[in-house]
Amino acid sequence: MATDEDAHCYHYDGAAREGCANANATDDAALSVAILLALGFLIDPARPYAFDAWVLRMLRRPGDLAVPVGPAWLKEAMVDITALGGATVLTLVVVVAVGMLLVSRKWMAAALVAAGTISGSLAVSAAKEIAARPRPDVVPHLVEVSSQSFPSGHSANSAIVYLTIAALLTQVTGADARRTYLFAVVVALVTVIGLSRMYLGVHWPTDVLAGWSFGTFWALAWWRIGQWLRIHPHAAMPQDEREPVG
């Protein structure tokens, strides 16, 4: 997930390089919060965008909005896929990932994964309460839901968890085809989880877009924090976690 800004930071030495990387992390975190705040204020909870309603209706059979488009097995597949972005599965993924890093003696990476995913989840929960956007009512829901609609928790939290874990793992593993494959799988997984929320009629498309945006920038911010710690000469990071990866 290297960017031009990251490469630019490495042209500096000492404190200047540390400050550059730290500023990038702060900018990403601020941008992710700004996206949520901006969209939350722009969306009128009582009047969803016409685009939102149009997309949800397009995903249902004309004349019978209780039936989703596509073959019968697609609905079951979407229910299974959406569970991959639920609290139970994501918690298990974080626990397994942190455990793997701990037994591998990657202490700082484990701490960053735990801190990034937990803080991101709390931020999403707070945003839901602040925005207080009702769930879609233009089509019947195909699964049970209880919380507010904006942003999509499944979309945001799956992006936060899967992308943060993948991004931080790349800092302690070599750069090869496996890293590219990991990111491709994670991006595809986060995408289909978000699409499943719309297909099941439990989120407006703008909820999902906001969740994807927030989760992606949140993960990027924690990746930058990891990079900053790796180049900070006084950070309490083991030497083997400082080694640059190709």
Side-chain angles (χ1 to χ4, degrees), residues 29-47:
L31 180 58
S32 63
V33 174
I35 288 172
L36 274 185
L37 291 175
L39 289 175
F41 280 117
L42 289 174
I43 291 175
D44 182 349
R47 299 179 60 190

Side-chain angles (χ1 to χ4, degrees), residues 162 165-167 169-170 173 177-187:
Y162 294 125
I165 291 174
L169 282 178
T170 64
T173 58
R178 290 172 297 178
R179 185 160 73 176
T180 302
Y181 175 76
L182 174 62
F183 272 111
V185 170
V186 166
V187 170

Side-chain angles (χ1 to χ4, degrees), residues 20-232:
C20 176
N22 194 30
N24 285 340
T26 302
D27 290 345
D28 289 332
L31 180 58
S32 63
V33 174
I35 288 172
L36 274 185
L37 291 175
L39 289 175
F41 280 117
L42 289 174
I43 291 175
D44 182 349
R47 299 179 60 190
Y49 295 141
F51 165 77
D52 278 330
W54 177 80
V55 170
L56 294 185
R57 291 193 180 100
M58 286 292 292
L59 294 173
R60 298 301 171 92
R61 289 184 182 176
D64 190 356
L65 296 180
V67 180
V69 296
W73 60 262
L74 183 57
K75 174 186 173 182
E76 298 303 319
M78 286 297 183
V79 172
D80 292 339
I81 289 171
T82 209
L84 298 176
T88 300
V89 172
L90 292 179
T91 299
L92 289 174
V93 169
V94 172
V95 169
V96 170
V98 171
M100 183 187 70
L101 290 168
L102 289 176
V103 299
S104 300
R105 304 181 67 83
K106 303 296 185 183
W107 315 118
M108 186 61 69
L112 288 171
V113 168
T117 54
I118 293 172
S119 61
S121 178
L122 292 174
V124 172
S125 296
K128 279 180 171 288
E129 295 302 318
I130 294 172
R133 190 186 195 191
R135 294 279 181 168
D137 57 1
V138 296
V139 297
H141 299 170
L142 301 182
V143 292
E144 293 295 326
V145 290
S146 57
S147 63
Q148 300 294 334
S149 191
F150 180 90
S152 166
H154 280 64
S155 301
N157 287 323
S158 64
I160 289 169
V161 170
Y162 294 125
L163 288 175
T164 298
I165 291 174
L168 292 174
L169 282 178
T170 64
Q171 295 178 350
V172 293
T173 58
D176 53 24
R178 290 172 297 178
R179 185 160 73 176
T180 302
Y181 175 76
L182 174 62
F183 272 111
V185 170
V186 166
V187 170
L189 179 59
V190 171
T191 299
V192 295
I193 289 172
L195 294 176
S196 74
R197 303 308 284 172
M198 292 184 284
Y199 186 85
L200 297 172
V202 295
H203 272 296
W204 304 105
T206 45
D207 298 338
V208 174
L209 291 172
W212 280 336
S213 300
F214 176 80
T216 299
F217 281 106
W218 193 268
L220 182 58
W222 282 91
W223 178 81
R224 290 187 190 272
I225 291 172
Q227 287 291 84
W228 179 79
L229 289 172
R230 288 177 64 243
I231 65 176
H232 196 295

